[in-house]
Amino acid sequence: MPKKKISCQINGHSIQVEEGSTIIQAFKKLNQRICHYCWHPGLSVSGVCRLCMVEIEGQGKLQIACNTQVQEGMKVSNQSEKVKTAVRWGLEYHLINHPLDCPICDQAGECELQDQYMEFGSYDSSMSERKVKKRKVLDLGSKIVLDTERCILCTRCVRFTDEVTKTHELGIFNRGDRSEIGCFEDKPLNNNYAINTVDICPVGALTSKHFRFKQRVWYLKTAQSICTGCSTACNTYVDYNEEGIWRVRPRFNKEVNGHWMCDKGRFLFQDMDRKKRLHMALEANDKFWNFLETKVAFEKIKTLLENKTAHFVLTGQYTNEEYEILLKHFSNSVFYIWSQEGQFPKFDKLLLREDRNPNTKTLKKLFPKIKPLTKLEKNKNEIPLLFVLGPENLIFYPDLEEKTKLFSQVKSLVWLGLVKNKFLVCKENFFQIPMKSSFEKTGTFTNYKGLEQKIDKIQSFNSQAVSVEDIIKLLKTDNFKLKEDRAYFKQNQFLNSNQKIW
Amino acid sequence: MEHKLLTEHYHRKSYSTLEGYKERGGYQTLRHALLKKPQEIVEEVKLSGLRGRGGAGFPTGVKWSFLPNNKEDRYLLCNADEGEPGTFKDRMIMEKAPHQLIEAMLISAYAIQAKKSYIYIRGEYQKAYLLLLKALEEARIEGLIGKNILDSSFSHEMDIYLGAGAYICGEETGMISSLEGKKGQPKLKPPFPAVQGYLGKPTIVNNVETLVAVIPIVKQGAKAYRQIGTERSPGTKIFSLSGDVLNPGNYELPLGYSLMDLIYDLGGGMRAGHSLKAVIPGGSSVPILTAKEAERTRLDYESLNELGTFLGSGGVIVLDDSRDMMDILSIILDFYHHESCGQCTPCREGTGWLSKLLKKVCKGMSSQRDWILIQKIAENMQGRTICALSDAAAMPAISFMKKFRNEFEQCLYENTNSSVKGVKESKHA
């Protein structure tokens, strides 16, 4: 049954909200600015920052918007001088013991203290006394560092570990202005959702080790994408510049991931690292892998393929469109599925699912007669040419070595992957082709519950990389040219990894 | 004159034992109460106009009637975490008459139909704790706690919990958090404890003295109780007189008693050669009264409210002319800085800031600007937090600054003639 709607007025604008919603939700719904730190839509109300002060008509005392429910006909405002003074002083209290080390703070540029000071504060501090000194670098585990001085004790992170992950690593130690967030020494903050606390930290207190001191956020561009780490397909923001991707953050989607994403998915972009990626196509002779242009490699593959039936090993890591075009052009081929069923723990009741592929759903739907890899083992001698559409996220394929050995037994092989497969045997007619990552192509993924989500090309990082569509064009047409992207890898592809570029 | 309604037998040593207490009519009121309907007792307490004696002065009967009208489990908590500086009345009650508290709690628990109650006692009250433990054991053996108390259908269990020394656990929701095993931090209201308190169940938290005052109300009826005290502040209240008086101690007085009579008649007045300078009438967190204001006031909720201060917990702290007001304020603010739970920003940061400023004042390092600043900081701490600790720190700060500006100005850098690098000698620097 839908909840009863009630109407109220926020800063003179009328709005209807569901019964039981709080004033701050009404503010957010109307897109009216309201200053707050401790309130977060994905967490419980703690009401400690005392900044979301509003004036309710008929009530003398200012109320906090996050813990006050909307009543029928309520008139709420945060524009009066009384509220503004309260907010200004609230900010002053927040800032008196804050170290104001913005120049060396990673949060600078996306710091809510900075934003709200510019919007609601803009005063000279009256504080001339000595600030409270606290610990500056507190290691909370393998992924996160805490600066207790910058912390404004909004307790978002504590509530996150209590309510979302229910792992209870974090807590507040001590009291008064000596309070510090921390965790017990024998229980570090290492759970698979830990970096979400960095996202929800409104200031630069919690920083993740993988992004700390790497980039200034105002030099980064942000794009929307989908995580390919499991069949949940969390919505993400990708922060990148022409040097590459620097971090991935969750993007709110009520239907899929809510406000959060797991750390496993967050670190997937690290496979994009130029040191790890396959820059050009590789062709094997008896001893070495030789570099060659992708186009040249495909000319050779084309001659191998002539009038023969290609066999394909597929993984659930490609887009709907890629599977479709493959099926359209190679409808007579034999397909095998490389699945990792039973290799990972079951759904963790939050986001991370057992199936670590973003698109197994479509793969199984489009290829209903797809064979398991055991079949491949039986007829490995009869396969003239095997294409392995390898996984993008190798960490989710722990059986890579074992399965690569199996593939190596065929006569000729084309391995398509993001990074070099070091387990592949050097054998004549063996190729490795660089693939485009999910950040470099456009398409759709179908997640575990059948929801189709689109990804857009963010930026090309490797001009030699191909998508399945490119492969088909390369094989089926004569004069197809790979699009010459202004890609970062192109200029530096043969750079020694010891060489630094500034 | 004292009006000994609660403390009548406190001079008897045996009153702390079950036998001694029973000899003086103990547990008779409980027997009497168990024959009534619970709702009748609630109505009686409502009629009596009894107001919470812990500090806030909220009408007890009204508080009890906030409980949801259903059969759900509910709890009665006795707030014996008496931490307000200058207050020591509950300690006396618990040390002199532990059974009186137990009886009062049983009556109250019966009235609100609670099956379980806890006494949350201050960590430092070791003697009272041991006495109460013993008294609970005695009462349990006697069948006063347990199943079918005094052959009635009412069953009740009572336990005692020793706090760990945090002032904030005297705030009712802070106490509930602490009792639940969490960090002693006040909870957001709403929901109020009467709806969702200890373990999420409806809970009533009452001060020791409030609960004890239920006994005479049930015994003699609300009408007789209303005869004592004033029209709007009925009954008696135990005042803890301390500071610069000759006879400090606890005095049970009818509300509306003159403050001067308390200080001079009962308290014996100042030391020879000293005169009254100021009085803090209700524990360190209420605004201070100057000698002149104190002269004409009476000790009841309304008279003190008229002067902009509160009856609070009834801890009357008397200060004579030998006291340095800035030093006193510095001590008070240091206390609140130390005891702030650190949850709400205005209190966490504000109490620390005020305390630092006052230390600066005491060192003779402040400037005229600080007079305004201290008041501004304090004003903006008032009414902005979850609990009242922030207000408790702000109110003395504002009142001391306003009423003793001359003493502040004596501490200014330009006015201190100290030979030691311009630093004024201070006892609490």
Side-chain angles (χ1 to χ4, degrees):
Chain A
M1 204 180 99
K3 279 189 180 169
K4 211 180 119 194
K5 293 264 183 185
I6 47 175
S7 50
C8 63
Q9 265 195 17
I10 306 286
N11 288 341
H13 305 275
S14 294
I15 185 177
Q16 285 215 321
V17 291
E18 272 179 10
E19 197 175 15
S21 41
T22 53
I23 296 177
I24 201 163
Q25 285 170 332
F27 265 85
K28 293 278 163 188
K29 210 172 164 187
L30 266 174
N31 240 346
Q32 288 278 317
R33 282 290 283 153
I34 185 161
C35 192
H36 66 88
Y37 292 120
C38 66
W39 183 79
H40 188 280
L43 300 171
S44 69
V45 173
S46 74
V48 296
C49 75
R50 316 305 291 184
L51 280 173
C52 58
M53 291 283 178
V54 288
E55 201 168 13
I56 302 165
E57 207 177 82
Q59 291 187 26
K61 204 176 149 190
L62 297 182
Q63 301 290 336
I64 49 170
C66 62
N67 196 42
T68 313
Q69 287 190 357
V70 177
Q71 308 287 332
E72 180 65 48
M74 200 181 235
K75 284 182 183 171
V76 189
S77 141
N78 68 346
Q79 301 294 314
S80 71
E81 218 32 63
K82 199 173 165 189
V83 176
K84 281 181 180 164
T85 320
V87 174
R88 215 185 63 90
W89 271 93
L91 276 167
E92 172 98 47
Y93 292 129
H94 272 93
L95 284 164
I96 55 167
N97 284 318
H98 187 81
L100 297 176
D101 55 351
C102 308
I104 56 155
C105 178
D106 272 302
Q107 191 83 4
E110 53 178 12
C111 173
E112 289 179 32
L113 268 183
Q114 286 179 335
D115 292 351
Q116 312 212 351
Y117 174 79
M118 295 311 287
E119 197 168 345
F120 302 98
S122 295
Y123 52 82
D124 293 325
S125 177
S126 334
M127 172 90 166
S128 56
E129 286 68 42
R130 199 173 292 169
K131 290 186 187 231
V132 178
K133 287 267 174 277
K134 290 184 194 168
R135 285 177 291 177
K136 202 85 183 127
V137 187
L138 194 66
D139 205 327
L140 288 188
S142 57
K143 297 181 253 189
I144 290 169
V145 176
L146 169 68
D147 185 324
T148 49
E149 271 187 342
R150 289 178 193 158
C151 176
I152 56 165
L153 295 158
C154 68
T155 71
R156 276 185 190 179
C157 53
V158 180
R159 279 175 285 147
F160 177 81
T161 55
D162 283 349
E163 293 161 14
V164 181
T165 62
K166 299 194 176 67
T167 43
H168 313 282
E169 291 101 341
L170 293 174
I172 298 178
F173 293 79
N174 227 323
R175 68 177 185 218
D177 57 8
R178 285 108 37 226
S179 299
E180 273 181 22
I181 301 279
C183 54
F184 295 108
E185 269 179 26
D186 57 345
K187 203 181 175 190
L189 181 60
N190 278 345
N191 70 58
N192 188 30
Y193 294 86
I195 301 181
N196 285 307
T197 59
V198 177
D199 294 329
I200 56 175
C201 184
V203 295
L206 290 167
T207 44
S208 65
K209 287 181 181 171
H210 81 279
F211 185 67
R212 204 170 143 84
F213 305 134
K214 291 273 164 47
Q215 286 291 324
R216 275 311 198 182
V217 290
W218 54 84
Y219 292 132
L220 293 179
K221 284 176 255 178
T222 301
Q224 301 188 348
S225 187
I226 304 290
C227 175
T228 56
C230 77
S231 57
T232 303
C234 296
N235 293 206
T236 58
Y237 285 117
V238 178
D239 293 330
Y240 68 101
N241 60 11
E242 65 267 22
E243 281 182 55
I245 291 167
W246 292 95
R247 66 172 176 186
V248 174
R249 291 175 293 137
R251 174 161 54 95
F252 176 68
N253 188 335
K254 203 173 145 194
E255 301 295 316
V256 184
N257 57 324
H259 298 272
W260 324 115
M261 75 181 288
C262 78
D263 293 353
K264 287 214 160 59
R266 219 182 264 265
F267 286 131
L268 286 179
F269 79 90
Q270 292 184 336
D271 278 344
M272 299 288 306
D273 191 72
R274 66 191 162 88
K275 282 176 202 157
K276 288 189 196 159
R277 256 187 95 167
L278 197 53
H279 299 161
M280 294 183 84
L282 297 174
E283 185 196 13
N285 59 20
D286 295 344
K287 285 170 190 162
F288 309 108
W289 287 100
N290 293 324
F291 281 112
L292 75 166
E293 267 189 66
T294 309
K295 201 175 171 233
V296 181
F298 269 98
E299 272 160 19
K300 294 187 176 184
I301 295 165
K302 223 160 137 183
T303 54
L304 281 174
L305 185 63
E306 246 166 30
N307 301 325
K308 287 173 197 153
T309 323
H311 290 229
F312 286 89
V313 172
L314 300 179
T315 51
Q317 305 226 331
Y318 292 83
T319 62
N320 293 350
E321 292 74 6
E322 284 175 313
Y323 291 136
E324 276 161 20
I325 199 164
L326 193 66
L327 196 61
K328 195 174 146 199
H329 290 275
F330 289 93
S331 50
N332 298 325
S333 295
V334 186
F335 295 99
Y336 305 92
I337 183 166
W338 181 4
S339 80
Q340 339 105 291
E341 241 163 73
Q343 293 200 36
F344 289 101
K346 291 259 177 287
F347 180 43
D348 68 353
K349 304 262 162 44
L350 256 172
L351 293 171
L352 187 62
R353 283 173 195 275
E354 187 191 355
D355 178 11
R356 299 287 160 91
N357 294 302
N359 213 4
T360 316
K361 188 109 181 168
T362 309
L363 177 63
K364 287 192 172 161
K365 194 178 126 201
L366 289 179
F367 301 88
K369 285 180 188 162
I370 194 160
K371 293 170 180 168
L373 280 184
T374 44
K375 281 266 176 354
L376 179 105
E377 196 157 8
K378 275 179 198 159
N379 42 7
K380 63 195 170 197
N381 298 323
E382 297 142 32
I383 298 170
L385 178 60
L386 180 69
F387 285 91
V388 182
L389 272 74
E392 182 181 319
N393 310 319
L394 284 184
I395 57 155
F396 293 140
Y397 281 76
D399 56 351
L400 177 73
E401 187 175 356
E402 182 197 323
K403 293 285 148 57
T404 311
K405 271 181 193 156
L406 169 66
F407 305 144
S408 300
Q409 292 169 17
V410 299
K411 263 182 246 158
S412 39
L413 175 89
V414 182
W415 168 271
L416 300 138
L418 204 65
V419 294
K420 190 180 162 185
N421 186 349
K422 59 184 175 190
F423 303 116
L424 209 59
V425 187
C426 278
K427 218 158 111 180
E428 214 165 327
N429 294 339
F430 271 34
F431 296 90
Q432 293 198 36
I433 306 291
M435 290 296 283
K436 278 182 179 164
S437 70
S438 58
F439 302 106
E440 294 164 289
K441 59 191 177 192
T442 303
T444 45
F445 286 126
T446 311
N447 80 350
Y448 71 100
K449 59 177 177 186
L451 188 74
E452 285 189 17
Q453 300 190 96
K454 188 165 181 276
I455 48 163
D456 278 318
K457 177 182 161 184
I458 294 170
Q459 185 173 326
S460 192
F461 294 102
N462 184 355
S463 62
Q464 289 288 311
V466 289
S467 66
V468 175
E469 199 185 342
D470 296 331
I471 294 170
I472 285 161
K473 280 179 185 159
L474 282 163
L475 289 173
K476 299 276 173 179
T477 56
D478 279 336
N479 286 321
F480 178 69
K481 261 190 186 171
L482 279 179
K483 210 173 155 193
E484 286 287 319
D485 273 310
R486 250 192 80 240
Y488 177 69
F489 284 131
K490 202 191 164 192
Q491 295 129 35
N492 303 302
Q493 54 192 330
F494 298 118
L495 271 180
N496 188 331
S497 57
N498 296 328
Q499 222 171 315
K500 280 180 182 165
I501 323 141
W502 295 107
Chain B
M1 271 301 291
E2 277 193 86
H3 189 295
K4 291 193 171 178
L5 194 65
L6 310 174
T7 59
E8 195 186 343
H9 304 292
Y10 279 20
H11 59 284
R12 291 173 213 278
K13 245 190 171 166
S14 63
Y15 203 58
S16 67
T17 63
L18 182 64
E19 275 161 33
Y21 184 64
K22 274 188 148 178
E23 247 170 54
R24 303 288 151 194
Y27 290 110
Q28 285 308 314
T29 321
L30 175 65
R31 198 178 287 276
H32 183 58
L34 289 175
L35 297 174
K36 293 185 182 179
K37 277 187 189 154
Q39 197 52 41
E40 280 177 48
I41 302 172
V42 176
E43 284 307 317
E44 201 73 25
V45 173
K46 237 187 205 173
L47 273 177
S48 74
L50 173 67
R51 292 172 71 169
R53 303 293 196 227
F58 193 80
T60 308
V62 179
K63 197 184 210 176
W64 287 5
S65 59
F66 284 156
L67 282 170
N69 198 5
N70 56 22
K71 294 261 180 256
E72 207 186 331
D73 274 358
R74 51 195 56 183
Y75 295 95
L76 173 71
L77 306 186
C78 169
N79 189 343
D81 192 67
E82 189 184 40
E84 184 70 23
T87 316
F88 38 87
K89 61 187 175 62
D90 298 344
R91 177 180 168 182
M92 177 178 73
I93 295 171
M94 290 184 288
E95 285 179 3
K96 300 280 183 196
H99 281 287
Q100 197 183 6
L101 175 61
I102 293 171
E103 185 184 4
M105 281 180 71
L106 287 169
I107 297 170
S108 311
Y110 175 67
I112 62 168
Q113 287 293 295
K115 289 193 187 80
K116 174 97 203 181
S117 64
Y118 293 92
I119 304 169
Y120 187 100
I121 188 166
R122 180 176 164 179
E124 289 88 339
Y125 282 3
Q126 284 292 334
K127 189 182 168 189
Y129 174 64
L130 294 174
L131 275 167
L132 270 168
L133 267 185
K134 199 178 135 223
L136 277 174
E137 201 48 49
E138 283 176 336
R140 217 167 264 140
I141 292 168
E142 195 74 7
L144 292 162
I145 298 172
K147 282 200 172 139
N148 295 30
I149 294 164
L150 297 174
D151 301 325
S152 69
S153 58
F154 178 60
S155 303
H156 190 75
E157 262 310 315
M158 198 182 288
D159 262 321
I160 182 159
Y161 186 90
L162 192 67
Y167 172 73
I168 195 63
C169 291
E171 201 272 351
E172 61 176 359
T173 50
M175 197 176 104
I176 290 170
S177 296
S178 172
L179 207 56
E180 284 171 341
K182 295 177 189 151
K183 197 176 178 189
Q185 286 181 331
K187 296 181 181 187
L188 266 182
K189 285 154 267 186
F192 288 94
V195 182
Q196 208 178 321
Y198 178 59
L199 303 178
K201 295 281 196 294
T203 305
I204 291 293
V205 184
N206 280 134
N207 175 257
V208 174
E209 197 191 341
T210 319
L211 288 167
V212 170
V214 171
I215 298 180
I217 294 170
V218 174
K219 199 168 162 187
Q220 300 156 1
K223 231 179 188 175
Y225 189 77
R226 285 202 86 106
Q227 298 294 315
I228 314 160
T230 67
E231 173 65 34
R232 291 174 66 198
S233 303
T236 61
K237 164 108 191 71
I238 305 173
F239 288 93
S240 309
L241 186 66
S242 66
D244 300 319
V245 283
L246 291 178
N247 305 322
N250 281 314
Y251 297 93
E252 188 181 357
L253 305 171
L255 284 166
Y257 198 80
S258 150
L259 177 56
M260 283 298 119
D261 285 354
L262 171 64
I263 294 170
Y264 287 98
D265 291 357
L266 300 168
M270 308 289 116
R271 292 173 292 172
H274 289 284
S275 61
L276 181 68
K277 189 189 215 172
V279 182
I280 304 174
S284 69
S285 50
V286 303
I288 195 166
L289 293 175
T290 58
K292 215 174 160 192
E293 286 171 320
E295 263 170 30
R296 51 198 162 88
T297 192
R298 296 195 161 271
L299 290 166
D300 58 68
Y301 295 98
E302 292 74 29
S303 312
L304 287 166
N305 278 9
E306 271 169 35
L307 288 169
T309 183
F310 303 97
L311 187 70
S313 61
V316 180
I317 305 170
V318 182
L319 304 166
D320 72 16
D321 55 6
S322 67
R323 301 292 161 188
D324 179 337
M325 298 314 275
M326 291 302 124
D327 263 358
I328 305 266
L329 181 59
S330 179
I331 298 165
I332 292 176
L333 292 177
D334 224 24
F335 172 80
Y336 289 111
H337 173 214
H338 185 254
E339 294 298 341
S340 166
C341 82
Q343 207 179 174
C344 309
T345 312
C347 174
R348 176 180 72 233
E349 307 295 345
T351 50
W353 194 1
L354 283 177
S355 158
K356 277 177 200 164
L357 275 169
L358 254 292
K359 278 189 183 142
K360 203 170 100 176
V361 172
C362 287
K363 278 184 189 162
M365 301 296 284
S366 61
S367 60
Q368 196 69 49
R369 177 195 88 121
D370 293 341
W371 188 75
I372 297 281
L373 183 62
I374 290 169
Q375 291 182 62
K376 270 265 155 84
I377 296 168
E379 269 166 27
N380 284 291
M381 283 163 67
Q382 275 183 304
R384 302 276 162 81
T385 50
I386 293 176
C387 79
L389 192 141
S390 183
D391 301 68
M395 288 189 298
I398 296 171
S399 64
F400 272 70
M401 282 296 131
K402 284 221 167 96
K403 290 176 184 172
F404 298 97
R405 189 175 182 171
N406 56 336
E407 297 209 15
F408 170 81
E409 279 174 356
Q410 281 165 21
C411 295
L412 288 183
Y413 183 68
E414 63 246 38
N415 294 343
T416 47
N417 299 320
S418 174
S419 52
V420 197
K421 293 173 191 166
V423 176
K424 201 193 95 177
E425 270 183 46
S426 166
K427 282 157 234 154
H428 302 283

